[in-house]
Amino acid sequence: MRDFAGKVAVVTGAASGIGFGLATRLAEEGMKVVLADVEEPALQAAVASLHERGFADVIGVPTDVSDAVAVEALAQATLDAFDKVHVVCNNAGVGGGFGKIWEASLKDWQWALNVNLWGVIHGVHTFVPLLLEHGEPGHVVNTASVAGLVPGARVYSVTKHAVVALSEALYHNLRQISAPIGASVLCPGLIDTRIMFGYRNRPVDLRNAADETASRRELERAERIANMSQELGMPPAVVAQKVVDAIRDEQFYVLTHDHFDATIRDRMEDILQRRVPTPYQSELGD
Ligand code: NAI
């Protein structure tokens, strides 16, 4: 898809971080943008800040992407406001689920899978038929992570490997029917966002009891990542530019950092050599 001006984009998780960067960049390209997020005050503030910058065709729709009905309502609100949709960024996501894989609570699994995987499934299931229906060029961007490409390490990486697989299937299926719709999977490294404070949006019924190992680990780790990402993380605006370039150039894998290349290569070589996987050392040393 090469022409953005006047077209319509939907971005989930758009009140913060990468999602807000994407919404801003797409508005700068002249698109009408629907920002969707579960955190309503932050969503209102994000929309207001874009209005203040003169982007009039921007609306916010409170949406929990883990809820299929809410994502359908998001699609309807988009059509009501702007008639069509051309670009969909299934970006909302949460971290968490640290520690040994068997130590994660079932609530850790449910929360992470509900948002990171089901959120993308709902977005693809709901929006792709709408993109196909009007027959104009379009593009779907699913936010995974570099954690979806390196060897699996924790609950989060399970969700992100799944998003990579889903996106590859989407890409090939669209090519099989010669659709004018492109697909990309965004696999960022460390970005300066609020993901480490994702707990703020965790549903009450999926929170761990305060004294569980998983909860303690999560908080400790969140603080460490927060410090590290402010210092070393890439600005979301830089990521958003890479995504716009990928949509224009029909680039599928969007990687933000080169320093994971060797680990990704080792993983593929290990698989082909039938070797045990080389453990992945994250920036946090686990
Ligand atoms: P962020 O926390 O700054 O933004 C995520 C947004 O998603 C927030 O506004 C939050 O309210 C929203 N959200 C959470 N649960 C939701 C739900 N159920 N429904 C709708 N919205 C929901 O974090 P960031 O980093 O911008 O995250 C965006 C995506 O980027 C996520 O998928 C994340 O996994 C991915 N990512 C982030 C990296 C980083 O270093 N920050 C690295 C790799 C991937």
Side-chain angles (χ1 to χ4, degrees):
M1 178 176 159
R2 302 203 66 78
D3 300 321
F4 291 74
K7 303 284 171 56
V8 181
V10 175
V11 182
T12 69
S16 174
I18 296 172
F20 184 63
L22 287 169
T24 304
R25 191 68 199 84
L26 294 170
E28 287 168 353
E29 288 286 333
M31 295 193 83
K32 300 168 187 174
V33 186
V34 179
L35 285 79
D37 203 286
V38 76
E39 195 177 350
E40 291 200 36
L43 177 63
Q44 282 166 14
V47 171
S49 79
L50 291 177
H51 286 165
E52 274 164 28
R53 285 191 52 194
F55 301 118
D57 286 330
V58 167
I59 62 167
V61 180
T63 310
D64 178 350
V65 296
S66 67
D67 177 357
V69 174
V71 176
E72 278 167 29
L74 168 64
Q76 193 55 55
T78 304
L79 298 181
D80 290 347
F82 299 128
D83 200 35
K84 286 178 184 165
V85 52
H86 301 87
V87 171
V88 179
C89 300
N90 293 306
N91 166 78
V94 294
F98 302 116
K100 301 281 181 288
I101 201 79
W102 60 86
E103 288 177 349
S105 71
L106 291 181
K107 289 176 178 178
D108 290 335
W109 283 103
Q110 284 157 357
W111 180 47
L113 284 162
N114 285 352
V115 181
N116 294 4
L117 180 56
W118 277 104
V120 179
I121 294 170
H122 292 147
V124 167
H125 181 79
T126 305
F127 282 101
V128 172
L130 299 176
L131 267 64
L132 291 171
E133 208 173 279
H134 59 61
E136 296 171 15
H139 205 97
V140 179
V141 180
N142 295 330
T143 303
S145 167
V146 74
L149 299 174
V150 300
R154 53 196 170 97
V155 172
Y156 181 76
S157 35
V158 174
T159 70
K160 295 302 186 178
H161 273 256
V163 172
V164 171
L166 188 163
S167 306
E168 288 170 346
L170 173 67
Y171 179 88
H172 288 299
N173 291 166
L174 289 167
R175 296 286 71 76
Q176 280 162 353
I177 62 164
S178 304
I181 315 293
S184 298
V185 64
L186 173 60
C187 299
L190 193 64
I191 313 298
D192 181 12
T193 72
R194 301 191 67 218
I195 192 157
M196 50 286 175
F197 301 116
Y199 205 81
R200 68 194 184 276
N201 294 315
R202 186 160 173 161
V204 175
D205 60 331
L206 293 183
R207 291 188 179 194
N208 290 316
D211 59 349
E212 280 186 35
T213 318
S215 297
R216 277 204 313 277
R217 284 233 170 92
E218 200 163 308
L219 286 173
E220 284 166 13
R221 179 149 168 157
E223 275 173 21
R224 278 190 295 150
I225 301 182
N227 295 335
M228 183 176 268
S229 73
Q230 269 179 3
E231 207 180 308
L232 303 173
M234 179 181 279
V238 177
V239 182
Q241 182 59 51
K242 290 181 189 295
V243 171
V244 166
D245 292 344
I247 296 175
R248 277 220 169 88
D249 300 343
E250 299 204 10
Q251 183 193 337
F252 178 72
Y253 294 107
V254 187
L255 277 66
T256 58
H257 294 69
D258 293 341
H259 61 255
F260 296 99
D261 290 7
T263 312
I264 297 167
R265 201 172 289 118
D266 285 351
R267 173 168 188 263
M268 296 304 166
E269 199 52 35
D270 287 340
I271 293 169
L272 292 172
Q273 298 301 326
R274 281 74 169 162
R275 274 197 305 250
V276 291
T278 308
Y280 168 61
Q281 294 292 321
S282 78
E283 284 103 332
L284 293 167
D286 63 354

